[in-house]
Amino acid sequence: MLVHINVPNGESVAVEIEQGTTLADVKEGAALALGAAASRIGLLFAGDRLINDSNLQWLSDGDALHLVLEGSEPQVYRFAVPSIQDRRSPPGNDSIIREVSNAKHVVESQGEVIEVRASASVFKDQGWGNKKGHVYLVQKRAGIKINQACLLGRARDVPTSNVSKRTHPEWELAAGDTLCVGYHVGGGGGHKLFVENLRVEVAVDGAVIDLEPSGGGGGDISVVETTARREKRKRCVMM
């Protein structure tokens, strides 16, 4: 089977996995194609780090892996919302997403969202009628919403207590973007939404690999750095 190893700067490398292929083989294939040192390469699939050969069984033909600097951890933005208790959306605004005022983070540097984890001790609606209650993660740029992802599913489609969910939206973030938590109650009569102890963690991978060949100007291990630092270095070289 063929898998693709993605780097947050937009590059992609195809690696073939056959019977007997080891994780070290996959890393070596990526290292040879990118001019990097295999010892510095880490691989993530669906937000989980591949740590041994048995992890390759998770993969199917066409799957995408994400390359990160081994030993570094993704940046994590954390949100804590003690309680949401709200009634139906205003008339004519059935699809409106209300933002939680104190659940916002400004993105510090460019990167890619590789995993979102959300949990709540209570997540329920009015208990009858149409099911419309949702909790969302929202990405905004210059004040305009450009992405949204449902965090827990739809109320009454999931357990009403101790619910948790992991998603992998793979959004591209720019420095200055805003991540915030929002929710949708639903229009019509009688809609309510109750959420207690909502916790959200957004893991962002900002590591990119310098594509200079090993032994070139980048040194014999190839430089792995954050996207923001790489762009700053490019500007300095161009000046």
Side-chain angles (χ1 to χ4, degrees), residues 11 58 60 62 71 73 88 98 103 118 138 145 151 153 162 186 192 197 220-221 223:
E11 300 290 336
W58 300 345
S60 301
E73 294 297 329
R88 70 183 179 92
R98 296 176 174 174
V138 177
K145 182 180 71 174
L151 292 176
N162 299 321
K192 301 177 182 179
N197 300 314
D220 61 359
I221 62 171
V223 179

Side-chain angles (χ1 to χ4, degrees), residues 30-50:
L32 289 174
L34 297 174
S39 61
R40 303 298 304 278
I41 287 179
L43 296 173
L44 299 179
F45 176 63
D48 291 318
R49 187 179 293 272
L50 304 186

